Amino acid sequence: MSRNTKINLVLLLAVAALAVLPLALGLGDHKKEPFTGADAEAETAITELKPDYEPWFSPLYEPPSGEIESALFALQAALGAGVLAYYFGLRRGRRQGEQRALEREDGRELTGAAGKSAAERD
């Protein structure tokens, strides 16, 4: 097994553990909504500490339900992942193209240094 395969397996196991362990250990069972986002947690903490606090800004768009909010967040994450994947793929493709171009140039230089190619000799 190659080194990259081992690293990928370890990363895959770590991601699986991060997804399964909170559920298996029952983290958040004491809460009404156990896995709410950080925004909701912060809002709860602020209203407990200072009940008369008024936010400086209001959201531009308030989704009608939590499911729609989650779907929009997932869409945003997917778009971001797509943009990053495109960027890194483009960089890798350009680098591979440059390497192939250099290899072709090196091949031509070797042919030129050894004399004429078989097609040129005839």
Side-chain angles (χ1 to χ4, degrees), residues 7-115:
I7 291 171
N8 287 338
L9 285 175
V10 168
L11 290 173
L12 183 64
L13 288 173
V15 168
L18 286 172
V20 172
L21 282 177
L23 298 172
L25 296 175
L27 299 176
D29 284 346
H30 63 282
K31 297 180 180 179
K32 180 180 168 188
E33 295 181 21
F35 297 108
T36 58
D39 291 344
E41 294 285 329
E43 186 179 342
T44 304
I46 289 170
T47 53
E48 286 176 2
L49 294 174
K50 260 195 156 176
D52 58 337
Y53 174 78
E54 290 185 29
W56 293 1
F57 301 100
S58 62
L60 297 175
Y61 171 69
E62 188 72 36
S65 69
E67 291 83 10
I68 294 174
E69 186 176 356
S70 294
L72 289 173
F73 181 75
L75 177 65
Q76 178 186 358
L79 286 172
V83 168
L84 283 174
Y86 174 77
Y87 172 73
F88 286 122
L90 186 68
R91 279 190 53 203
R92 182 174 181 172
R94 284 183 179 172
R95 188 172 6 129
Q96 287 176 345
E98 289 172 359
Q99 287 176 349
R100 288 180 186 154
L102 288 174
E103 289 172 1
R104 284 188 202 130
E105 287 178 8
D106 289 344
R108 288 181 189 153
E109 289 174 8
L110 290 176
T111 305

